[in-house]
Amino acid sequence: MSTQKFSTQALHTGHDVNSNGGTRAVPIYQSTSYVFKDSDHAANLFSLAEPGYIYTRINNPTNDVLEQRLAALEGGIAAVVTASGTAATSTTLLTLLKAGDHIVSSNSLYGGTYNLFKNTLPRLGITTTFVDPSDPANFSKAAKENTRVFFAESVGNPKLDVLDLKGISKEAKAFKVPFIVDNTVATPYLLKPIEHGADIVIHSLTKYISGNGSSLGGVIIDAGKFDWANGKFPEFTEPSPGYHGLVYHDVLKEAAFIAKVRIEGLRDHGAALSPYNAFQIIQGLETLKVRIKEHSSNALKLAKWLEGQEEVAWVNYPGLESSKYKALADKYLPEGQSGVVTFGLKGGYLSAKTVVDETQIFSLLANIGDTKSLIIHPASTTHQQLNEKEQADTGVTPDLIRLSVGLEDIEDLQNDLKEAFSKIRNTVLV
Ligand SMILES: *Cc1c(COP(=O)(O)O)cnc(C)c1O
């Protein structure tokens, strides 16, 4: 494993300038396919006897650089990039699970993931029990004989609960199932779940890692530590009919999972990342450290300021002294807690809708992690499809506003919110 530090790896890993014509920037290899030297070469590539590029749905040199960088930054052995964060989640689960299998998941989830687990996977015979993740023992309590994965977000979006990853990973180990962690909100600069026992890390690259709001992407990173031969995953130890009898565990050893993601998951489900988007995401990744530090310090300042505003009923940010996650944030996110802040208004649902309509610098849209500041009212948008109990479980209350604090000057962000609050002052005083 390289001894280079975070930003050096973010800027250099995976790109050999000498083999790429001296290009300082990573080139965009915008090609669907690759010319084989001859029919033997082609046959060897298809039988995995020789490594190489076959077709961009499966691998691509630009995507390859991004994969190597993200694997290095998270401390994994290898990675596969996907068309979106959602594709990273679905490709991971469809690679590992089959009809009859069961997931135990944290209930504090991104709305899209919650819907996938709650409504779509059951149509394929894969069911989920959602648990309160604040007590790691809840995962084991909900586990059944057919449970095959534990799933959680290291920092829940939008609840911003910081999980005891070490505690949950111990439960997963005892139950002999992989612990999958969505690390989108934290980013590998603030938190590396593999250091705390995660087996598989996924990200939406659409958010902080890209950072500029231009491109969707996702990644699956394999820690390379899970024992797929423990009896619960026969598809890794028995000949694969989808790959001419290949026994993943025997041939690919610790890379069995990530190889299966690429040569079966990408091949069969097709959620490949465009090389152009990989290029855009690489530009973002190169400056991740400086950006996420500034996002975090701007967010903490704004959260403290919000606590002093009379229209505000409560503020939730893991770095605040008042947060019930402060102790876990000190342990798991000592360098900062990202740019996502949530708060509630004394005026409730209607005031929240008014404020998101009135801000000028904060853009009303469904995203986080952009360099520009963003605002949304989840109860009427991203979490609209969930019933009240499900909204409460995922941390969404009717009065909640989610901010993704960008890199603008903090005084301008405060003035923007102050101006918007002035429009609800009458409601508060009633
Ligand atoms: C946005 C997001 C996703 C989904 O990613 P897309 O790139 O939008 O598909 C998954 N998990 C979390 C925590 C997210 O914030």
Side-chain angles (χ1 to χ4, degrees):
M1 196 114 313
S2 165
T3 56
Q4 287 178 350
K5 298 265 189 301
F6 192 91
S7 277
T8 311
Q9 289 186 330
L11 286 155
H12 293 282
T13 299
H15 178 44
D16 176 4
V17 287
N18 298 317
S19 69
N20 279 324
T23 55
R24 184 56 285 178
V26 176
I28 307 174
Y29 285 93
Q30 192 73 23
S31 180
T32 55
S33 35
Y34 309 85
V35 180
F36 308 126
K37 288 179 210 135
D38 53 34
S39 54
D40 283 340
H41 179 221
N44 282 343
L45 292 178
F46 274 86
S47 69
L48 307 177
E50 214 182 301
Y53 299 105
I54 296 176
Y55 189 62
T56 286
R57 173 152 35 76
I58 296 170
N59 52 6
N60 171 278
T62 308
N63 295 14
D64 191 29
V65 173
L66 181 57
E67 286 164 349
Q68 289 186 46
R69 277 187 198 179
L70 289 165
L73 295 174
E74 282 286 10
I77 58 161
V80 166
V81 288
T82 55
S84 66
T86 303
T89 307
S90 62
T91 305
T92 297
L93 295 173
L94 293 174
T95 299
L96 286 177
L97 306 180
K98 59 185 179 311
D101 287 347
H102 175 250
I103 300 167
V104 178
S105 173
S106 158
N107 62 16
S108 171
L109 290 179
Y110 173 71
T113 309
Y114 194 84
N115 265 314
L116 171 70
F117 290 2
K118 180 83 198 307
N119 298 313
T120 301
L121 289 179
R123 297 209 317 257
L124 308 179
I126 299 165
T127 52
T128 299
T129 302
F130 295 100
V131 298
D132 170 0
S134 63
D135 181 359
N138 288 344
F139 283 80
S140 296
K141 279 185 205 151
K144 306 191 273 193
E145 214 243 306
N146 58 340
T147 302
R148 287 296 173 269
V149 302
F150 287 0
F151 188 99
E153 293 178 11
S154 49
V155 179
N157 175 14
K159 198 174 189 174
L160 303 181
D161 47 336
V162 180
L163 299 200
D164 177 5
L165 295 180
K166 264 209 171 90
I168 302 168
S169 76
K170 271 191 204 135
E171 301 286 324
K173 269 185 192 72
F175 204 75
K176 297 189 171 162
V177 293
F179 181 29
I180 305 172
V181 176
D182 178 339
N183 197 34
T184 300
V185 172
T187 82
Y189 180 71
L190 300 177
L191 170 65
K192 294 183 179 56
I194 290 173
E195 289 178 355
H196 305 290
D199 297 294
I200 297 164
V201 176
I202 62 177
H203 282 275
S204 168
L205 302 176
T206 315
K207 314 295 170 55
Y208 288 108
I209 289 181
S210 162
N212 51 36
S214 75
S215 309
L216 278 99
V219 69
I220 305 161
I221 299 155
D222 186 354
K225 291 179 183 151
F226 190 78
D227 177 14
W228 299 106
N230 68 11
K232 293 197 171 183
F233 296 89
E235 282 162 16
F236 284 91
T237 51
E238 289 168 8
S240 166
Y243 235 95
H244 47 71
L246 173 75
V247 178
Y248 280 93
H249 180 259
D250 294 351
V251 176
L252 294 143
K253 312 262 188 284
E254 73 276 10
F257 164 71
I258 202 71
K260 197 169 197 284
V261 165
R262 186 183 301 286
I263 64 182
E264 288 188 12
L266 285 185
R267 186 194 62 185
D268 301 348
H269 301 295
L273 182 68
S274 149
Y276 181 76
N277 280 13
F279 171 81
Q280 293 281 7
I281 294 163
I282 287 168
Q283 307 316 302
L285 180 60
E286 293 186 342
T287 61
L288 175 62
K289 175 175 162 182
V290 287
R291 283 186 293 106
I292 196 68
K293 286 171 93 161
E294 185 73 6
H295 278 293
S296 299
S297 83
N298 252 6
L300 182 59
K301 280 182 207 150
L302 199 70
K304 284 184 179 158
W305 175 84
L306 280 168
E307 281 190 317
Q309 304 307 300
E310 63 165 323
E311 295 83 2
V312 173
W314 55 267
V315 184
N316 178 23
Y317 184 70
L320 286 174
E321 292 300 331
S322 61
S323 167
K324 62 177 170 185
Y325 305 111
K326 179 73 166 69
L328 283 164
D330 288 345
K331 177 173 175 190
Y332 286 104
L333 300 148
E335 299 284 320
Q337 300 82 34
S338 97
V340 186
V341 176
T342 60
F343 67 97
L345 290 162
K346 290 177 187 160
Y349 187 90
L350 287 178
S351 289
K353 283 190 71 187
T354 305
V355 165
V356 302
D357 282 338
E358 294 294 336
T359 52
Q360 304 294 317
I361 298 174
F362 282 90
S363 303
L364 172 58
L365 57 74
N367 193 17
I368 59 166
D370 198 315
T371 45
K372 293 145 201 118
S373 286
L374 317 173
I375 191 165
I376 200 159
H377 179 232
S380 63
T381 57
T382 53
H383 288 64
Q384 187 198 80
Q385 312 304 332
L386 277 50
N387 65 36
E388 218 163 289
K389 158 92 171 59
E390 291 167 344
Q391 286 194 356
D393 284 349
T394 54
V396 173
T397 49
D399 62 339
L400 179 145
I401 291 176
R402 184 186 72 192
L403 301 177
S404 173
V405 182
L407 303 181
E408 297 92 343
D409 297 287
I410 189 76
E411 296 79 5
D412 293 327
L413 297 179
Q414 289 167 353
N415 288 336
D416 194 30
L417 288 171
K418 212 184 277 178
E419 190 64 28
F421 289 165
S422 73
K423 305 291 194 313
I424 58 163
R425 198 146 295 150
N426 291 339
T427 341
V428 175
L429 296 179
V430 168

